[in-house]
Amino acid sequence: MYEGPVQDLIDELGKLPGVGPKSAQRIAFHLLGVEPPDIDRLMSALQKVRDGVQFCVVCGTVSAEKECRICADPRRDRTIVCVVEEPKDVQAVERTREFRGLYHVLGGSLDPLSGIGPDQLRIRELLARIGNQQDGVDVAEVIIATDPNTEGEATATYLYRMLRDFPGLTVTRLASGLPMGGDIEFADELTLGRALSGRRAL
Amino acid sequence: MYEGPVQDLIDELGKLPGVGPKSAQRIAFHLLGVEPPDIDRLMSALQKVRDGVQFCVVCGTVSAEKECRICADPRRDRTIVCVVEEPKDVQAVERTREFRGLYHVLGGSLDPLSGIGPDQLRIRELLARIGNQQDGVDVAEVIIATDPNTEGEATATYLYRMLRDFPGLTVTRLASGLPMGGDIEFADELTLGRALSGRRAL
């Protein structure tokens, strides 16, 4: 619709997730009006991500150093490992401020239809971490915090089978149930069913 | 929250209009997973816009050439000029397929509080266009298509005062009234008032 570079930029922005044609146009015209250094900062951030982001050699989350801040922090409890699908799940658990252990990022969930099997995830690395001591400490608990959907549940089941025979290791799964602030009336059958079967004594 | 380049990218994306922290995170992790050439295309589009976009010397809209496709098109009616605030308004009018004349982009609307007076807009260029013939044709009508808000209305009034004394020139303004597909019940007072005062015989 527009001519030349502006349309190219609108087209490229429109390929980003959650950016429709209207937002792409709005962002492009916003960028037409900003100072060049502002665009430079965006371009340099893109360049750095394009040139490769470093992942923590221990847990696999995005990291500025060889080892991420969490893995390098001596105050974290090395006996508990929380297994998540993606780096953003690490941030979600961190935001709760309820967890002081370490993480392990799988890099996704089992999804055979998309060609993602155990070898495409960081499962071998997880087993190695639990098999070896971490800084002289044995891992006592693995919390499986994959998403509560089909792929995440399948991954959790697979991991449980791989981990249950480690001596002295407890394997747990995040509780399923009603979200806080939610409404029983509007809960879906699956969630309400999980909340019932997982009920706890008061 | 994240470390290194990923957080820098999230921060920069979050400065774009309509991109909140969640969308910025989603876009950044999407870009982590795409092929480098895809990021290169986005960066090169940004680079071209950063290095300056060309504007049509006649109407002032964004253009790939010295003169934009509309101004250069011999089939357009050179006797009618539609005055809009921004290049995106040109596209909005074009989408109606109701207008076959030329455009004039002001580059904004009068807004003295933000320091935008007549000299900051392309008003002098408009008067020059109407004063001279365009390719040997006199301009017969100027349609003022500024936004129907305070600044746009003020700009329309100002332009009308500047244009009303040109001999043989009709100055018109886009109709205000109920939006099509709208609901009288939910129309605001101002819009319904305009629809009443602008009523037409059937």
Side-chain angles (χ1 to χ4, degrees), chain B residues 3-19:
Chain B
E3 296 178 33
V6 178
Q7 187 61 49
D8 292 344
L9 182 57
I10 293 175
D11 291 343
E12 290 303 321
L13 290 168
K15 291 178 190 163
L16 301 176
V19 180

Side-chain angles (χ1 to χ4, degrees), chain B residues 116-160:
Chain B
I116 298 176
D119 290 342
Q120 277 69 50
L121 303 178
R122 297 181 67 256
I123 293 179
R124 206 175 311 121
E125 289 86 341
L126 175 66
L127 301 179
R129 268 180 90 176
I130 294 160
N132 304 320
Q133 289 185 324
Q134 299 198 100
D135 300 334
V137 184
D138 276 326
V139 177
E141 180 177 356
V142 169
I143 304 174
I144 304 180
T146 51
D147 287 337
N149 55 25
T150 317
E151 293 81 17
E153 291 287 313
T155 312
T157 308
Y158 180 86
L159 287 178
Y160 175 66

Side-chain angles (χ1 to χ4, degrees), chain B residues 5-200:
Chain B
V6 178
Q7 187 61 49
D8 292 344
L9 182 57
I10 293 175
D11 291 343
E12 290 303 321
L13 290 168
K15 291 178 190 163
L16 301 176
V19 180
K22 285 266 172 186
S23 321
Q25 182 179 306
R26 191 168 157 216
I27 295 172
F29 277 98
H30 166 81
L31 290 171
L32 269 182
V34 305
E35 296 296 313
D38 291 334
I39 299 192
D40 289 341
R41 273 200 299 276
L42 175 57
M43 285 199 297
S44 113
L46 283 166
Q47 180 73 49
K48 280 191 200 129
V49 164
R50 180 208 175 282
D51 291 346
V53 163
Q54 215 171 359
F55 295 93
C56 172
V57 291
V58 181
C59 73
T61 196
V62 288
S63 174
E65 309 290 329
K66 211 161 150 269
E67 198 166 320
C68 76
R69 278 195 294 244
I70 296 172
C71 288
D73 184 346
R75 290 164 304 173
R76 307 288 301 211
D77 180 353
R78 268 139 222 287
T79 65
I80 311 185
V81 173
C82 179
V83 179
V84 296
E85 294 181 11
E86 303 286 353
K88 46 194 164 195
D89 301 326
V90 172
Q91 298 308 322
V93 177
E94 281 295 286
R95 275 196 298 270
T96 67
R97 299 173 175 274
E98 299 266 345
F99 182 68
R100 298 297 304 162
L102 301 180
Y103 293 92
H104 191 86
V105 177
L106 294 173
S109 52
L110 291 175
D111 186 3
L113 291 179
S114 310
I116 298 176
D119 290 342
Q120 277 69 50
L121 303 178
R122 297 181 67 256
I123 293 179
R124 206 175 311 121
E125 289 86 341
L126 175 66
L127 301 179
R129 268 180 90 176
I130 294 160
N132 304 320
Q133 289 185 324
Q134 299 198 100
D135 300 334
V137 184
D138 276 326
V139 177
E141 180 177 356
V142 169
I143 304 174
I144 304 180
T146 51
D147 287 337
N149 55 25
T150 317
E151 293 81 17
E153 291 287 313
T155 312
T157 308
Y158 180 86
L159 287 178
Y160 175 66
R161 285 200 196 125
M162 304 296 285
L163 294 170
R164 62 183 166 189
D165 295 330
F166 276 85
L169 181 72
T170 310
V171 183
T172 57
R173 175 97 176 97
L174 291 188
S176 285
L178 297 173
M180 297 305 291
D183 220 322
I184 290 184
E185 182 185 354
F186 299 121
D188 62 286
E189 304 88 313
L190 215 60
T191 301
L192 194 51
R194 286 295 180 95
L196 266 173
S197 67
R199 68 191 180 277
R200 298 195 306 175

